[in-house]
Amino acid sequence: MSKTSTNLFSRLVRFNTFAAIIGLISLTACSGGDDSDDPTPTPTPTVTVNLASQSIAEGAEVDANSTTVLTLTYSTSVKVSSSANVTLNGTKLTASRKTTDVTAVEIPLSLEEGVDYTLIVAKGSIVANSDATASAPEFKLNFKTKEKAQPVNPDIAQTPVVASTEPALKLYSYMVEQYGQKTISSVMANVNWNNELAEKVYSLTKKYPAAVCYDFIHICYSPANWIDYTDITPVKKWSDAGGIVELMWHFNVPKEQGSSDVTCTPSETTFKASNVFTEGSWENKWFYEQMDKVVATLLKLQDAGIAATWRPFHEAAGNSTARQQASWTKSWFWWGYDGADVYKKLWTTMFNYFKEKGVKNLIWVWTTQNYNGNSTTYNQDTAWYPGDAYVDIVARDLYGYTAAQNLQEFTEIQSAYPNKMIALGECGYGTVDGQRAEQGNISDCWNLGAHWSHFMVWYEGGQGSTNTMVTDGWWKDAMQCDNVITRDQLPSLK
């Protein structure tokens, strides 16, 4: 081979080798050396989100009125995604992280009685607070609500005797539904027009009583700088918070005509109940003046959509039904001092006057003395009963009565008034043989069968942390009892 041919051959080999290398590089590039067109890989979450607990169990039957929220607690700190999809029977709900627990989510519920429910929290709705790519799996919950409670006693009147506003009808209907099932808790206001003692009960037990009872005892002084019943703010505040309103009236009268000193006690006044019906008498004038003042406030409450139980002229018989009459066997209040017939006329006069003035938001409560706990010494006070057409609820006031004594009173009163709900109008400690006697625990009363429609604890300063006439232990027992209704368990009654 010539020298020229050799050089040409060498150049050709070098060229082919270079071309092969270039081709190999191109092939490598085409096969993925450049990853600009590849999809972005999904990052692995740095944490997992698992359900740790739930406030409603799968398949549970819950109370529609008291079950207002579902709480889901997770294994890590979570938040609700902006694209969250939470539904209850197909209706979308709004979930939020619990303010007091970063691992929990709350879902508000508005439930009806006797309904099957399916709640779904879609995947991606709840995510880790530290890594939004970490999502809880789908959560599905099936549960149902209890059927509407049926009255235990079918003889109980299903409609109130005079009340006709929607809130009053709702209140009465609710009380009938609960009668024999549960008892409504209540506390007396500190003398008159405030919510102080309800707040004290809450501070002790972390639950509010379902109701507060307010007394018109100082209406004769109102309006004044220390008491003004024309300002319904305290009552409206309680009602707006979901509480039941109860009203009563220690109806004070002047100690004598023209006196500014007032009393309820017959021995302290010349006010004669029978003279109330004599037009032009000072008793008649005072009676109607005071009723007009109360009516003005009742109408303000009515206009505000507030209904109430109404307990006037309570404990009328006092000791007057004793079988053996003596100097002490008298009525405790002026409204009972002139006997049963005058008393019943006072009641029906007020009833009809309130009705005439347009007051139709009251559930009327009459207080019996029953046997004063001793049927061998006292007669029944049925002669003082105003009549079924004028009374919605029959109440009894008991102080220092054991659970067994509560049962005896409840049973006897229910037997005497089978078509009325029976309530514990007042309760607290009493005195037996000169010693303090505690009121029986409401749980013990209930378990024995004293199924009061509601109970109301009286006030007294210095009694435990609540300034009421029962111990702190009594309140703790009551407010954790399954058969006691607290404010948070009430449905909307407006």
Side-chain angles (χ1 to χ4, degrees):
M1 180 179 295
S2 67
K3 184 177 182 180
T4 302
S5 298
T6 300
N7 292 338
L8 179 61
F9 178 77
S10 298
R11 288 196 296 271
L12 182 60
V13 170
R14 288 195 297 272
F15 175 79
N16 288 337
T17 301
F18 178 76
I21 292 171
I22 295 299
L24 183 60
I25 293 171
S26 299
L27 181 62
T28 301
C30 290
S31 66
D34 180 1
D35 61 358
S36 60
D37 294 329
D38 277 0
T40 303
T42 302
T44 301
T46 59
V47 66
T48 57
V49 183
N50 296 316
L51 184 67
S53 66
Q54 59 198 73
S55 61
I56 301 176
E58 173 66 23
E61 183 178 71
V62 302
D63 183 86
N65 295 321
S66 60
T67 307
T68 58
V69 66
L70 168 66
T71 302
L72 302 177
T73 304
Y74 291 90
S75 57
T76 188
S77 174
V78 294
K79 61 184 177 182
V80 179
S81 168
S82 59
S83 59
N85 185 21
V86 181
T87 59
L88 181 67
N89 285 5
T91 299
K92 194 164 185 178
L93 304 179
T94 300
S96 60
R97 190 169 72 176
K98 192 173 181 179
T99 56
T100 57
D101 186 352
V102 296
T103 66
V105 169
E106 292 184 322
I107 303 170
L109 303 175
S110 179
L111 306 176
E112 297 180 1
E113 294 172 307
V115 176
D116 292 333
Y117 286 101
T118 298
L119 184 140
I120 299 175
V121 181
K123 179 178 173 58
S125 297
I126 310 300
V127 298
N129 195 44
S130 60
D131 184 357
T133 66
S135 169
E138 179 184 271
F139 172 76
K140 186 175 182 179
L141 173 65
N142 296 295
F143 67 99
K144 62 182 179 180
T145 52
K146 297 176 182 178
E147 295 289 340
K148 188 174 183 178
Q150 298 301 313
V152 171
N153 187 340
D155 294 328
I156 299 298
Q158 299 299 299
T159 55
V161 292
V162 69
S164 60
T165 65
E166 184 175 354
L169 294 174
K170 282 186 175 182
L171 174 58
Y172 184 82
S173 177
Y174 177 73
M175 296 181 79
V176 171
E177 289 170 5
Q178 297 305 314
Y179 189 57
Q181 309 281 351
K182 293 187 177 184
T183 183
I184 297 169
S185 57
S186 175
V187 68
M188 187 66 198
N190 185 8
V191 183
N192 43 40
W193 210 234
N194 56 74
N195 300 312
E196 294 174 12
L197 301 189
E199 293 293 344
K200 287 184 177 294
V201 173
Y202 179 78
S203 295
L204 175 67
T205 67
K206 305 310 175 189
K207 289 188 177 183
Y208 284 104
V212 169
C213 183
Y214 307 90
D215 194 345
F216 280 92
I217 187 170
H218 293 137
I219 190 72
C220 55
Y221 300 114
S222 176
N225 59 359
W226 60 276
I227 183 66
D228 185 0
Y229 288 94
T230 66
D231 179 5
I232 65 170
T233 300
V235 185
K236 188 174 186 304
K237 181 179 179 181
W238 179 257
S239 177
D240 288 346
I244 293 173
V245 174
E246 298 178 341
L247 301 170
M248 66 175 297
W249 189 6
H250 275 91
F251 195 151
N252 276 314
V253 296
K255 291 187 174 181
E256 59 185 13
Q257 183 175 1
S259 174
S260 59
D261 292 332
V262 296
T263 185
C264 292
T265 306
S267 61
E268 297 177 353
T269 179
T270 61
F271 188 98
K272 192 167 179 58
S274 56
N275 286 346
V276 163
F277 314 112
T278 301
E279 190 171 353
S281 68
W282 73 274
E283 292 97 336
N284 173 269
K285 181 180 179 182
W286 179 265
F287 187 78
Y288 281 92
E289 282 179 350
Q290 298 307 301
M291 283 207 299
D292 282 338
K293 295 179 77 170
V294 171
V295 163
T297 296
L298 294 176
L299 290 176
K300 289 189 75 170
L301 294 173
Q302 183 169 292
D303 290 343
I306 299 171
T309 63
W310 173 240
R311 194 169 70 102
F313 301 136
H314 63 295
E315 302 173 0
N319 290 330
S320 64
T321 59
R323 293 178 184 273
Q324 297 296 322
Q325 291 291 295
S327 60
W328 57 270
T329 58
K330 306 294 183 184
S331 295
W332 302 330
F333 300 110
W334 68 261
W335 49 82
Y337 203 69
D338 283 351
D341 289 341
V342 170
Y343 169 74
K344 288 186 290 186
K345 191 172 181 181
L346 288 171
W347 183 283
T348 56
T349 297
M350 176 183 285
F351 184 96
N352 291 325
Y353 190 71
F354 280 15
K355 184 178 179 180
E356 175 189 326
K357 293 295 183 177
V359 177
K360 46 190 177 182
N361 61 334
L362 301 181
I363 310 300
W364 287 71
V365 183
W366 176 70
T367 310
T368 176
Q369 284 306 111
N370 199 33
Y371 295 109
N372 276 331
N374 185 347
S375 60
T376 62
T377 304
Y378 293 91
N379 292 309
Q380 186 65 285
D381 68 341
T382 50
W384 301 72
Y385 181 55
D388 285 351
Y390 300 96
V391 175
D392 291 303
I393 297 171
V394 176
R396 178 74 166 102
D397 298 348
L398 300 178
Y399 288 89
Y401 275 48
T402 65
Q405 290 173 319
N406 271 255
L407 175 60
Q408 177 188 357
E409 294 285 324
F410 176 84
T411 303
E412 290 171 349
I413 298 167
Q414 185 71 92
S415 177
Y417 307 97
N419 60 339
K420 300 298 179 181
M421 292 179 280
I422 310 303
L424 187 55
E426 297 174 16
C427 65
Y429 77 83
T431 302
V432 177
D433 296 329
Q435 301 296 315
R436 174 169 167 143
E438 300 296 344
Q439 176 69 11
N441 281 345
I442 203 69
S443 62
D444 294 333
C445 295
W446 185 272
N447 291 335
L448 281 181
H451 294 169
W452 304 108
S453 171
H454 62 269
F455 64 85
M456 191 271 285
V457 180
W458 201 254
Y459 66 87
E460 183 172 330
Q463 296 299 313
S465 67
T466 61
N467 284 346
T468 62
M469 291 183 67
V470 293
T471 64
D472 286 359
W474 192 100
W475 272 117
K476 290 177 180 178
D477 169 81
M479 301 302 268
Q480 61 82 41
C481 179
D482 290 339
N483 296 104
V484 171
I485 298 172
T486 52
R487 194 179 76 177
D488 59 299
Q489 297 172 326
L490 293 172
S492 174
L493 296 173
K494 288 192 173 182

